[in-house]
Amino acid sequence: MESKHVHEQIAAMRQSFFNEEVLNKNFSQLEQLEGKDNPNFVEEVFTMYLRDSIAFLETIEEAMKTIPIDSIKVDSILHQLKGSSASVGANKVLKEVNKTRQVLGKGNLERTKASILELRKEYDSFKAKLEPYFQLKQANSMAQEK
Amino acid sequence: MNSSSGKSYMSTASSSVIWKAGGDVVADQFPAGLRVLVVDDDPTCLMILEKMLKACQYNVTKCNRAETALSMLRENRNGFDIVISDVHMPDMDGFKLLEHIGLEMDLPVIMMSADDGKNVVMKGVTHGACDYLIKPVRIEALKNIWQHVVRKRKNEWKDFEQSGSVEEGDRQPKQSEDADYSSSANEGNWKSSKRRKDDEDENDERDDTSTLKKPRVVWSVELHQQFVAAVNQLGIEKAVPKKILELMNVPGLTRENVASHLQKYRLYLRRLSGVSQHPSNLNNSFMNPQDATFGPLDLQALAATGQLPAQSLATLQAAGLGRSTAKSGIPMPLVDQRNIFSFENPKLRFGEAQQHVNNNKQMNLLHGIPTTMEPKQLSGLHHTAQSMGNMNMPVLSHGSQSSQNNPLLMQMAQPQARGQMLNDSTVGLAPRLLSPMGQPMLSNGMATNVSTRNGVPENIRAPSYNPVSQTSSMLNFPMNHTSELPGNSFPLVSTPGISSLAPKVAFQEDVNSEIKGSVGFMPSYDIFNDLNQHKPQNWELQNVGMMFNTSQHSNSLQGNLDHTQSVLVQQGFSTGQNRNSTVISKAMFSAGDSTGHVNAQNGNQHLNSLFVDNTVRVKSERVADAAPANLYPDHFGQEDLMSALLKQQDVIAPAENNDFDFDGYSIDNIPV
């Protein structure tokens, strides 16, 4: 691939994320932290984030199955997820997390479950978008190195 | 610790040392190289923060567990300049970590969280965080964190300067100290030190000569215990850094080290007694005198003096306190606390306390002897002090606002004033209840236990009862041995410490006045009868007793403090015959939250509530009978009060019920 072409592609992808508000400005901050000495910083962060978030989500889903539901625990995990999502700029995921916490706080079990499903969907979607992006970036930089 | 005269900047990082004597930070390096310890259990956030901090050219160490961070800090006390910690962590609450760091290492700590709720931010403030960041943290926010390091050092430096550095021969030591104390006590905020810092010009000039960066002293547990012991010995009121330093006799320790630590300690005590503006919180701040066995100080003394009709006190206290404890309503948590206050008695529950008080060897029945807290207590206090130190501040504020105790608390805020009074009043007792500790406690227990100290072991309850304090002033008297009260004149142990307690102390003052009026509670005080003269005083004492700090268990510190902080019930009863001056014992509340005499019993909360309630009641009763003269009439009014109290507290059966050792004083018996 021509690097220019790939570049453009990557840029377009990135821009679309912002347009769709999948990512927010915090993501840009992370990008700024990237430098020559750690060019893959953002990717590393995201890898970590995706890995941890899925673990969180799975724990939540498990917790939701128990009776009675340990809402404190669930909220605690959501709180953590909130922090990390906010830090990486995962905008939509963050919004879902907040929504879920709110509903959970109100005590409506059904709504909470539904909200968690939404959250999971958002997460999956997020992952599906970002991973190819990073892969492309990675491929591109490798190609450029050649 | 750097024993160096403090001139040398302890930080090892040379870059960070760039403190210009003149106060201008050498721009060339600082803040680069600032040694930051960042603690967060979320790996993603941790990674990002590390990166950001590195981008700011800081020297970063990351840690994902609070315990690890704490041990890192302990091993290398001077290895870091600032700590950034998440609030929400699985192994330890971020605020708890914050307190630990504040007390042990005196490092600036920044809290961060994804939560931006006002309450949690406020919690950060009250626990002594120097800043609070909301996640997602922006790098811009991190760029300026060095300011906290500078500020802290300047404050310390200023402390040093103000209090009269050792080098300078401690000029104006006392005054400054007092001023500091009072200010801290009153303002209850370490922020005051920050304000002082505003006089940068001053500092700048001195920077050249004095050490801008004082060697960081590591306040180990032993050292802190020594500190608390010294403070207790001196009494909250008289605990000035210079004297504490002398007592501690630790080579290499400077007055400024002690001063800043004392400030923290007071804050902590304050915090314990009333950190959260909720009445319940107050309880927390009360130091459970468990360890701080202030011992027999006040209560015993009081009892000895026989000033306060222990029984009446007990009754009252019981009544007031009773709520908290299952026992006849006497907020006996204090009793358990026995340890905490040497008095154990005063603060401790009435019934029980009394016994303990009496039995307590520790209790230094100050028959006029300034009770110094027993080492045990001191240690207890230490802990609490520490935590309290940080917290103290809040306590004050709380005290005033919080629960009913406020009246008491407010009084406490003026420890100094009280101290004076107490001093005067405490003829014999001179309960120096852990001054440092006393503060927190007082606020809580103000009402209740203070009085006991003076020899009314019975009332020891004081410590934890704030609310009770009001009424308890009488109550606190370690009524336990009414018989013991020989000298009627209960020197309301106005432990000097109380003043430091400020929050609580403040109570004293008010209490005094109030006590006078309200003191009426002590209806059954034999002492009262005996000591007509003392009466006014007794009341005062009683008020003092109130200062018990219901150690607040809740506070995280509490856990630690439990022992130490034992109620500093400093009953500064001034049995002095005419001590009108508030005897308000400096019920040193032992910060020991856990020990919480008072708290312990009820689980802290009770006491607090008790206190609160008591205070409330008291207040109403008091009805501005500040005048001593009123006391008498009032204390007959005590009956009313007592009854009021009693009503409130079902538990508080008329004195009899409780474990009080009262000689059968019952509210009904209020000798008028």
Side-chain angles (χ1 to χ4, degrees), chain A residues 26 29-30 33-34 38 41 44-45 48-49 51-52 56 76 79-80 82-84 86-88 101, chain B residues 40-45 47-48 51-52 55 86 88 90 113-116 135-140:
Chain A
N26 287 317
Q29 264 211 91
L30 292 187
L33 290 174
E34 223 168 40
N38 61 337
F41 173 69
E44 284 165 19
V45 171
M48 198 179 277
Y49 168 72
R51 183 193 69 208
D52 290 343
F56 285 147
S76 159
H79 175 93
Q80 279 210 286
K82 175 182 176 177
S84 54
S87 302
V88 304
R101 278 185 98 198
Chain B
D40 193 333
D41 65 316
D42 185 58
T44 308
C45 294
M47 191 181 201
I48 296 174
K51 195 78 186 60
M52 286 185 181
D86 187 36
H88 202 101
S113 172
D115 262 339
D116 59 351
K135 287 184 183 176
V137 178
R138 296 170 313 121
I139 192 170
E140 290 78 27

Short mmCIF file of all heavy atoms in Angstrom, two decimals, chain A residues 26 29-30 33-34 38 41 44-45 48-49 51-52 56 76 79-80 82-84 86-88 101, chain B residues 40-45 47-48 51-52 55 86 88 90 113-116 135-140:
data_model
loop_
_atom_site.label_atom_id
_atom_site.label_comp_id
_atom_site.label_asym_id
_atom_site.label_seq_id
_atom_site.Cartn_x
_atom_site.Cartn_y
_atom_site.Cartn_z
N ASN A 26 -9.98 13.43 25.08
CA ASN A 26 -8.97 12.76 25.89
C ASN A 26 -8.10 11.86 25.05
O ASN A 26 -6.93 11.61 25.36
CB ASN A 26 -9.61 11.96 27.02
CG ASN A 26 -10.14 12.88 28.11
OD1 ASN A 26 -9.49 13.84 28.49
ND2 ASN A 26 -11.33 12.60 28.59
N GLN A 29 -5.37 13.80 23.81
CA GLN A 29 -4.34 14.01 24.83
C GLN A 29 -3.37 12.83 24.85
O GLN A 29 -2.16 13.01 24.97
CB GLN A 29 -5.00 14.11 26.21
CG GLN A 29 -5.25 15.52 26.66
CD GLN A 29 -5.17 15.64 28.17
OE1 GLN A 29 -4.12 15.91 28.72
NE2 GLN A 29 -6.28 15.41 28.83
N LEU A 30 -3.95 11.67 24.73
CA LEU A 30 -3.09 10.49 24.74
C LEU A 30 -2.16 10.52 23.55
O LEU A 30 -0.98 10.16 23.65
CB LEU A 30 -3.92 9.22 24.71
CG LEU A 30 -4.75 8.90 25.96
CD1 LEU A 30 -5.36 7.52 25.81
CD2 LEU A 30 -3.90 8.96 27.20
N LEU A 33 0.80 12.45 24.04
CA LEU A 33 1.81 11.86 24.91
C LEU A 33 2.73 10.93 24.14
O LEU A 33 3.81 10.59 24.59
CB LEU A 33 1.13 11.08 26.05
CG LEU A 33 0.41 11.92 27.09
CD1 LEU A 33 -0.33 11.01 28.05
CD2 LEU A 33 1.39 12.78 27.86
N GLU A 34 2.27 10.53 23.04
CA GLU A 34 3.07 9.62 22.25
C GLU A 34 4.29 10.35 21.73
O GLU A 34 4.24 11.54 21.44
CB GLU A 34 2.24 9.11 21.08
CG GLU A 34 2.40 7.62 20.84
CD GLU A 34 1.35 7.10 19.87
OE1 GLU A 34 1.08 7.82 18.88
OE2 GLU A 34 0.81 6.02 20.10
N ASN A 38 8.20 6.29 22.45
CA ASN A 38 7.16 5.28 22.63
C ASN A 38 6.05 5.53 21.62
O ASN A 38 5.00 6.06 21.95
CB ASN A 38 6.63 5.28 24.06
CG ASN A 38 6.02 6.62 24.43
OD1 ASN A 38 6.34 7.64 23.85
ND2 ASN A 38 5.11 6.57 25.37
N PHE A 41 2.42 4.14 22.24
CA PHE A 41 1.84 4.35 23.55
C PHE A 41 0.32 4.24 23.55
O PHE A 41 -0.28 3.54 24.36
CB PHE A 41 2.25 5.73 24.08
CG PHE A 41 1.56 6.12 25.35
CD1 PHE A 41 1.83 5.46 26.53
CD2 PHE A 41 0.61 7.12 25.37
CE1 PHE A 41 1.21 5.80 27.72
CE2 PHE A 41 -0.03 7.49 26.55
CZ PHE A 41 0.26 6.83 27.72
N GLU A 44 -0.86 0.79 23.18
CA GLU A 44 -0.65 0.00 24.39
C GLU A 44 -1.72 0.31 25.42
O GLU A 44 -2.27 -0.59 26.07
CB GLU A 44 0.73 0.32 24.99
CG GLU A 44 1.87 -0.31 24.24
CD GLU A 44 3.21 0.31 24.63
OE1 GLU A 44 3.28 0.93 25.71
OE2 GLU A 44 4.16 0.18 23.85
N VAL A 45 -1.98 1.55 25.53
CA VAL A 45 -3.01 1.94 26.49
C VAL A 45 -4.34 1.32 26.13
O VAL A 45 -5.06 0.79 26.98
CB VAL A 45 -3.15 3.48 26.55
CG1 VAL A 45 -4.36 3.87 27.38
CG2 VAL A 45 -1.90 4.10 27.12
N MET A 48 -4.56 -2.34 26.85
CA MET A 48 -4.78 -2.56 28.27
C MET A 48 -6.23 -2.25 28.65
O MET A 48 -6.87 -2.99 29.40
CB MET A 48 -3.83 -1.64 29.05
CG MET A 48 -3.64 -2.04 30.48
SD MET A 48 -2.49 -0.94 31.30
CE MET A 48 -0.94 -1.65 30.80
N TYR A 49 -6.70 -1.17 28.11
CA TYR A 49 -8.06 -0.76 28.43
C TYR A 49 -9.07 -1.79 27.98
O TYR A 49 -9.98 -2.16 28.71
CB TYR A 49 -8.37 0.60 27.79
CG TYR A 49 -9.82 0.97 27.82
CD1 TYR A 49 -10.45 1.33 29.02
CD2 TYR A 49 -10.60 0.91 26.67
CE1 TYR A 49 -11.79 1.64 29.07
CE2 TYR A 49 -11.95 1.22 26.70
CZ TYR A 49 -12.54 1.58 27.90
OH TYR A 49 -13.88 1.89 27.94
N ARG A 51 -8.68 -4.85 27.41
CA ARG A 51 -8.54 -6.09 28.16
C ARG A 51 -9.19 -5.96 29.54
O ARG A 51 -9.94 -6.82 29.97
CB ARG A 51 -7.05 -6.42 28.30
CG ARG A 51 -6.77 -7.72 29.00
CD ARG A 51 -5.30 -7.80 29.38
NE ARG A 51 -4.99 -6.85 30.43
CZ ARG A 51 -3.79 -6.30 30.60
NH1 ARG A 51 -2.79 -6.61 29.81
NH2 ARG A 51 -3.58 -5.44 31.56
N ASP A 52 -8.91 -4.88 30.19
CA ASP A 52 -9.47 -4.71 31.52
C ASP A 52 -10.98 -4.50 31.49
O ASP A 52 -11.72 -5.00 32.34
CB ASP A 52 -8.83 -3.52 32.23
CG ASP A 52 -7.38 -3.79 32.59
OD1 ASP A 52 -7.00 -4.96 32.59
OD2 ASP A 52 -6.66 -2.82 32.86
N PHE A 56 -14.02 -6.37 33.40
CA PHE A 56 -15.01 -5.68 34.24
C PHE A 56 -16.41 -6.06 33.82
O PHE A 56 -17.27 -6.38 34.66
CB PHE A 56 -14.87 -4.16 34.09
CG PHE A 56 -13.68 -3.57 34.81
CD1 PHE A 56 -13.01 -2.48 34.29
CD2 PHE A 56 -13.24 -4.09 36.02
CE1 PHE A 56 -11.93 -1.92 34.95
CE2 PHE A 56 -12.16 -3.54 36.69
CZ PHE A 56 -11.50 -2.45 36.14
N SER A 76 -19.25 -0.37 42.09
CA SER A 76 -17.83 -0.16 42.26
C SER A 76 -17.07 -0.46 40.96
O SER A 76 -16.18 0.28 40.56
CB SER A 76 -17.34 -1.04 43.41
OG SER A 76 -15.97 -1.25 43.31
N HIS A 79 -17.75 2.18 38.51
CA HIS A 79 -16.97 3.37 38.84
C HIS A 79 -15.58 3.28 38.24
O HIS A 79 -15.04 4.23 37.69
CB HIS A 79 -16.91 3.51 40.36
CG HIS A 79 -16.03 4.63 40.82
ND1 HIS A 79 -16.51 5.89 41.08
CD2 HIS A 79 -14.70 4.68 41.05
CE1 HIS A 79 -15.51 6.66 41.46
NE2 HIS A 79 -14.40 5.97 41.46
N GLN A 80 -15.02 2.11 38.36
CA GLN A 80 -13.70 1.92 37.80
C GLN A 80 -13.72 2.03 36.29
O GLN A 80 -12.83 2.65 35.68
CB GLN A 80 -13.18 0.53 38.17
CG GLN A 80 -12.60 0.48 39.55
CD GLN A 80 -11.50 -0.56 39.64
OE1 GLN A 80 -11.80 -1.74 39.66
NE2 GLN A 80 -10.26 -0.13 39.67
N LYS A 82 -15.69 3.66 34.63
CA LYS A 82 -15.90 5.06 34.29
C LYS A 82 -14.56 5.79 34.22
O LYS A 82 -14.29 6.54 33.27
CB LYS A 82 -16.80 5.71 35.35
CG LYS A 82 -16.97 7.20 35.17
CD LYS A 82 -17.84 7.78 36.27
CE LYS A 82 -17.91 9.30 36.11
NZ LYS A 82 -18.79 9.93 37.09
N GLY A 83 -13.77 5.56 35.22
CA GLY A 83 -12.48 6.23 35.27
C GLY A 83 -11.60 5.88 34.09
O GLY A 83 -11.00 6.76 33.46
N SER A 84 -11.53 4.61 33.80
CA SER A 84 -10.63 4.24 32.71
C SER A 84 -11.18 4.64 31.35
O SER A 84 -10.44 5.09 30.48
CB SER A 84 -10.33 2.74 32.75
OG SER A 84 -11.52 1.99 32.77
N ALA A 86 -13.02 7.15 30.73
CA ALA A 86 -12.85 8.60 30.60
C ALA A 86 -11.41 8.93 30.26
O ALA A 86 -11.14 9.82 29.47
CB ALA A 86 -13.26 9.28 31.90
N SER A 87 -10.52 8.20 30.87
CA SER A 87 -9.11 8.50 30.64
C SER A 87 -8.66 8.19 29.22
O SER A 87 -7.79 8.86 28.69
CB SER A 87 -8.24 7.72 31.62
OG SER A 87 -8.59 8.03 32.95
N VAL A 88 -9.24 7.18 28.62
CA VAL A 88 -8.80 6.87 27.26
C VAL A 88 -9.63 7.60 26.22
O VAL A 88 -9.27 7.63 25.05
CB VAL A 88 -8.85 5.35 26.96
CG1 VAL A 88 -8.02 4.58 27.95
CG2 VAL A 88 -10.27 4.85 26.90
N ARG A 101 -24.99 3.36 35.78
CA ARG A 101 -24.84 3.66 37.21
C ARG A 101 -26.07 4.37 37.75
O ARG A 101 -26.52 4.13 38.87
CB ARG A 101 -23.62 4.55 37.44
CG ARG A 101 -22.34 3.78 37.49
CD ARG A 101 -21.20 4.69 37.83
NE ARG A 101 -20.86 4.63 39.25
CZ ARG A 101 -20.16 5.55 39.88
NH1 ARG A 101 -19.76 6.62 39.24
NH2 ARG A 101 -19.87 5.41 41.16
N ASP B 40 -2.81 3.92 41.92
CA ASP B 40 -4.13 3.73 41.31
C ASP B 40 -4.26 2.26 40.96
O ASP B 40 -3.35 1.67 40.40
CB ASP B 40 -4.25 4.58 40.03
CG ASP B 40 -5.70 4.67 39.53
OD1 ASP B 40 -6.50 3.74 39.81
OD2 ASP B 40 -6.04 5.67 38.87
N ASP B 41 -5.39 1.71 41.30
CA ASP B 41 -5.52 0.28 41.04
C ASP B 41 -5.88 -0.01 39.58
O ASP B 41 -5.78 -1.15 39.14
CB ASP B 41 -6.57 -0.33 41.98
CG ASP B 41 -7.95 0.22 41.72
OD1 ASP B 41 -8.08 1.45 41.54
OD2 ASP B 41 -8.91 -0.57 41.69
N ASP B 42 -6.27 0.98 38.86
CA ASP B 42 -6.62 0.75 37.46
C ASP B 42 -5.36 0.86 36.60
O ASP B 42 -4.75 1.93 36.52
CB ASP B 42 -7.66 1.79 37.02
CG ASP B 42 -8.15 1.53 35.61
OD1 ASP B 42 -8.68 0.43 35.38
OD2 ASP B 42 -7.98 2.40 34.75
N PRO B 43 -4.99 -0.19 35.95
CA PRO B 43 -3.73 -0.15 35.20
C PRO B 43 -3.73 0.83 34.04
O PRO B 43 -2.70 1.44 33.73
CB PRO B 43 -3.54 -1.59 34.71
CG PRO B 43 -4.78 -2.32 35.00
CD PRO B 43 -5.64 -1.50 35.89
N THR B 44 -4.89 0.95 33.42
CA THR B 44 -4.95 1.89 32.31
C THR B 44 -4.68 3.30 32.78
O THR B 44 -3.85 4.02 32.21
CB THR B 44 -6.36 1.83 31.65
OG1 THR B 44 -6.67 0.48 31.35
CG2 THR B 44 -6.41 2.67 30.40
N CYS B 45 -5.36 3.69 33.82
CA CYS B 45 -5.17 5.04 34.35
C CYS B 45 -3.75 5.23 34.83
O CYS B 45 -3.14 6.28 34.63
CB CYS B 45 -6.14 5.31 35.49
SG CYS B 45 -7.86 5.35 34.99
N MET B 47 -1.11 3.82 33.83
CA MET B 47 -0.20 3.95 32.70
C MET B 47 -0.27 5.35 32.11
O MET B 47 0.75 5.97 31.80
CB MET B 47 -0.59 2.92 31.64
CG MET B 47 0.42 2.76 30.55
SD MET B 47 -0.18 1.55 29.38
CE MET B 47 1.36 1.09 28.61
N ILE B 48 -1.46 5.82 31.96
CA ILE B 48 -1.64 7.14 31.38
C ILE B 48 -1.03 8.21 32.29
O ILE B 48 -0.33 9.12 31.84
CB ILE B 48 -3.13 7.43 31.14
CG1 ILE B 48 -3.70 6.47 30.11
CG2 ILE B 48 -3.35 8.87 30.71
CD1 ILE B 48 -5.19 6.57 29.91
N LYS B 51 2.65 8.27 32.18
CA LYS B 51 3.12 8.90 30.96
C LYS B 51 3.03 10.41 31.04
O LYS B 51 3.93 11.15 30.66
CB LYS B 51 2.29 8.38 29.78
CG LYS B 51 2.89 8.66 28.45
CD LYS B 51 4.03 7.69 28.17
CE LYS B 51 4.75 8.04 26.89
NZ LYS B 51 5.34 9.38 26.92
N MET B 52 1.92 10.84 31.54
CA MET B 52 1.72 12.28 31.64
C MET B 52 2.74 12.91 32.58
O MET B 52 3.31 13.97 32.29
CB MET B 52 0.31 12.59 32.15
CG MET B 52 -0.77 12.37 31.13
SD MET B 52 -2.36 12.90 31.82
CE MET B 52 -3.44 12.51 30.49
N ALA B 55 5.94 13.16 31.08
CA ALA B 55 5.95 14.25 30.10
C ALA B 55 6.18 15.58 30.79
O ALA B 55 6.68 16.53 30.18
CB ALA B 55 4.64 14.27 29.32
N ASP B 86 -5.57 7.50 43.95
CA ASP B 86 -6.96 7.35 43.58
C ASP B 86 -7.77 7.18 44.86
O ASP B 86 -7.25 6.70 45.88
CB ASP B 86 -7.11 6.12 42.68
CG ASP B 86 -8.52 6.00 42.12
OD1 ASP B 86 -9.12 7.05 41.83
OD2 ASP B 86 -9.00 4.87 41.97
N HIS B 88 -10.71 5.48 45.02
CA HIS B 88 -11.42 4.22 45.00
C HIS B 88 -10.45 3.07 44.78
O HIS B 88 -10.11 2.78 43.65
CB HIS B 88 -12.40 4.31 43.82
CG HIS B 88 -13.54 3.38 43.95
ND1 HIS B 88 -14.78 3.78 44.37
CD2 HIS B 88 -13.65 2.07 43.68
CE1 HIS B 88 -15.60 2.76 44.35
NE2 HIS B 88 -14.95 1.70 43.95
N PRO B 90 -9.33 -1.00 45.94
CA PRO B 90 -9.87 -2.19 46.62
C PRO B 90 -9.24 -2.50 47.96
O PRO B 90 -9.94 -2.86 48.90
CB PRO B 90 -9.60 -3.31 45.62
CG PRO B 90 -8.47 -2.84 44.79
CD PRO B 90 -8.60 -1.36 44.71
N SER B 113 -10.23 10.99 41.35
CA SER B 113 -11.32 10.05 41.23
C SER B 113 -12.16 10.39 40.02
O SER B 113 -12.14 11.51 39.52
CB SER B 113 -12.17 10.11 42.50
OG SER B 113 -13.34 9.35 42.33
N ALA B 114 -12.90 9.40 39.60
CA ALA B 114 -13.82 9.66 38.51
C ALA B 114 -15.06 10.36 39.05
O ALA B 114 -15.87 10.90 38.31
CB ALA B 114 -14.22 8.34 37.84
N ASP B 115 -15.18 10.34 40.33
CA ASP B 115 -16.31 11.00 40.98
C ASP B 115 -16.02 12.46 41.20
O ASP B 115 -14.95 12.81 41.70
CB ASP B 115 -16.55 10.37 42.37
CG ASP B 115 -17.66 9.33 42.31
OD1 ASP B 115 -18.46 9.40 41.35
OD2 ASP B 115 -17.70 8.49 43.20
N ASP B 116 -16.95 13.26 40.90
CA ASP B 116 -16.74 14.67 41.17
C ASP B 116 -17.81 15.23 42.08
O ASP B 116 -18.06 16.40 42.12
CB ASP B 116 -16.71 15.47 39.86
CG ASP B 116 -18.03 15.31 39.09
OD1 ASP B 116 -18.86 14.47 39.50
OD2 ASP B 116 -18.22 16.01 38.09
N LYS B 135 -11.07 12.53 37.26
CA LYS B 135 -10.69 11.79 36.07
C LYS B 135 -11.71 12.07 34.98
O LYS B 135 -12.91 12.12 35.28
CB LYS B 135 -10.68 10.29 36.38
CG LYS B 135 -9.55 9.84 37.24
CD LYS B 135 -9.63 8.31 37.36
CE LYS B 135 -8.56 7.78 38.28
NZ LYS B 135 -8.69 6.34 38.48
N PRO B 136 -11.29 12.17 33.80
CA PRO B 136 -9.94 11.93 33.30
C PRO B 136 -9.01 13.10 33.61
O PRO B 136 -9.37 14.26 33.42
CB PRO B 136 -10.15 11.82 31.79
CG PRO B 136 -11.37 12.63 31.52
CD PRO B 136 -12.23 12.51 32.74
N VAL B 137 -7.87 12.76 34.07
CA VAL B 137 -6.93 13.79 34.48
C VAL B 137 -6.24 14.36 33.24
O VAL B 137 -5.75 13.62 32.39
CB VAL B 137 -5.88 13.20 35.43
CG1 VAL B 137 -4.87 14.25 35.83
CG2 VAL B 137 -6.58 12.64 36.67
N ARG B 138 -6.21 15.64 33.19
CA ARG B 138 -5.54 16.25 32.06
C ARG B 138 -4.10 16.56 32.44
O ARG B 138 -3.81 16.85 33.60
CB ARG B 138 -6.24 17.55 31.67
CG ARG B 138 -7.67 17.35 31.19
CD ARG B 138 -8.37 18.69 31.07
NE ARG B 138 -8.14 19.50 32.25
CZ ARG B 138 -7.55 20.70 32.25
NH1 ARG B 138 -7.20 21.24 31.12
NH2 ARG B 138 -7.35 21.35 33.36
N ILE B 139 -3.31 16.57 31.45
CA ILE B 139 -1.90 16.81 31.75
C ILE B 139 -1.67 18.21 32.30
O ILE B 139 -0.77 18.44 33.10
CB ILE B 139 -1.04 16.54 30.49
CG1 ILE B 139 0.42 16.50 30.88
CG2 ILE B 139 -1.33 17.58 29.41
CD1 ILE B 139 1.31 16.00 29.77
N GLU B 140 -2.51 19.11 31.91
CA GLU B 140 -2.34 20.48 32.42
C GLU B 140 -2.47 20.50 33.93
O GLU B 140 -1.80 21.27 34.61
CB GLU B 140 -3.40 21.41 31.82
CG GLU B 140 -3.24 21.69 30.33
CD GLU B 140 -3.72 20.54 29.46
OE1 GLU B 140 -4.60 19.77 29.92
OE2 GLU B 140 -3.21 20.39 28.35
#
